[in-house]
Amino acid sequence: MSRSRGSAAISLSVGMKGARTLQQLSLTVKRSLHHHLPPPPPLQRSVGIIGAPFSKGQSKDGVDCAPNQLREAGLLDRLQQQGCAVKDYGNLTFENVADDEPVNGSKSVRAVGNANQTLSEAVKAVKRDGHTALILGGDHSLAIGSIHGHTAAVGPVSVIWVDAHADINTPLTSKTGHIHGQPMSYLLYELQSKLPPLPNFSWMKPCVSSRDLVYIGLRDVDPAEHYIIKLLSVKAFSMTQVDQLGIARVMEEVCDYLSDSAKKPIHLSYDIDAIDPAVTSATGTPVVGGLTYREGIYITEYLCQTGLLSAVDMVEVNPLRGRVQEDVHSTVNTAVDLLLGCCGRRREGNHLPDYLLPEP
Ligand SMILES: [Mn+2]
């Protein structure tokens, strides 16, 4: 069975006669397979997709093409095939901002502020409609509005930031002035006093505690970022820890750490540059020595199984980067697979929940 067909095709081909057998098999599978992971959430997952074609948090063209490329790679069909109810809220539109001069060295501050306000409202609406929110970037500055809107709708969240970079420079420590390297500093309560006033950001207040943030995949961290992470005791699993512990132990420790206090909804902010550029080179700031495809997928499967995954950013896919078309395909398809993993796809195979199978 080809991967692109999946579970809907299985239930159809089994037909009415085989349905009881398949349901019995499903019970057996449920009893025997889940030794290591908790059982999947029982209800059908409903997914709300927001396209956020925004690129002004960095300087390279193309990252705004990603939402449509992810759709064209079959994201919606494949989510439906694995039993998700999908609502596509379409792409947001972002107005051009005139005279958007740098502020304290940070570039396109006003455009980034406006875009994130729009995104925050959109994510809030998707969460209030009861969906798992999938936010298709765009560059990583979008996490400001995405996480802000998520917390506005559901209250405090745990943030799992999967990235080669920590994206926690403040506007005053940033060397490049690109806001896609700064979003976590805008979001943390503990850094509020370190941020200068910024135009078009008066709508937002910090909404994440440093205790509720975990990094996975770091390997290119600026000295100021390293200082901030140590000062605030932020939990971080760099590639060195991934190498030392293995991804399974990392994920256990991530979830143990986050559920130590209350179990909050999880916001997964997934930068495609966390994955090794051997697989995902079509991105603006690739760094060698990243997560393998398998480690990247494992993170999504594991978080899905917690039943707490509430919103996911998929950012920094840039179809205009990469040396050849095959690089773009590989990057886009990996991003789609990561999103499917967040929404219930298991590599051992899936079928629709019992109540969606034909009656015997
Ligand atoms: Mn990033």
Side-chain angles (χ1 to χ4, degrees), residues 256-278:
D256 284 353
Y257 173 80
L258 290 176
S259 61
D260 228 21
S261 46
K263 285 193 175 175
K264 301 184 180 81
I266 292 173
H267 188 109
L268 172 61
S269 206
Y270 215 127
D271 189 320
I272 199 68
D273 74 24
I275 310 290
D276 194 88

Side-chain angles (χ1 to χ4, degrees), residues 9-178:
I10 293 174
S11 68
L12 289 176
S13 67
V14 168
M16 304 296 278
K17 188 159 171 265
R20 174 167 289 171
T21 317
L22 188 54
Q23 280 170 329
Q24 285 163 349
L25 173 67
S26 152
L27 285 175
T28 316
V29 168
K30 277 180 189 160
R31 287 194 196 108
S32 62
L33 273 182
H34 303 294
H35 296 304
H36 303 294
L37 299 173
L43 294 175
Q44 188 188 24
R45 186 179 306 275
S46 76
V47 175
I49 294 176
I50 302 170
F54 184 76
S55 63
K56 292 190 177 161
Q58 47 87 66
S59 59
K60 290 163 187 161
D61 290 336
V63 74
D64 48 329
C65 306
N68 287 348
Q69 291 264 324
L70 293 167
R71 290 187 183 93
E72 282 160 25
L75 174 63
L76 277 73
D77 281 350
R78 292 182 65 194
L79 284 168
Q80 282 161 350
Q81 282 164 9
Q82 69 185 38
C84 297
V86 182
K87 178 170 179 185
D88 189 351
Y89 287 73
N91 285 345
L92 300 173
T93 52
F94 304 114
E95 58 194 86
N96 259 326
V97 179
D99 302 323
D100 201 354
E101 294 303 313
V103 179
N104 296 308
S106 287
K107 296 163 186 162
S108 305
V109 176
R110 296 165 191 82
V112 173
N114 276 358
N116 275 293
Q117 184 173 17
T118 303
L119 178 59
S120 173
E121 290 300 322
V123 173
K124 205 193 306 180
V126 169
K127 287 312 299 174
R128 292 199 169 147
D129 288 348
H131 305 296
T132 300
L134 300 187
I135 296 93
L136 313 179
D139 72 63
H140 219 163
S141 67
L142 293 165
I144 299 170
S146 176
I147 293 174
H148 181 274
H150 190 189
T151 62
V154 308
V157 298
S158 298
V159 174
I160 301 179
W161 196 278
V162 183
D163 202 320
H165 314 89
D167 296 351
I168 199 170
N169 272 299
T170 74
L172 303 178
T173 68
S174 170
K175 292 272 190 291
T176 65
H178 295 148

Side-chain angles (χ1 to χ4, degrees), residues 64-65 162 186 228 237 244 274 341 355 358:
D64 48 329
C65 306
V162 183
Y186 292 53
I228 292 168
F237 295 89
Q244 279 173 344
Y355 68 94

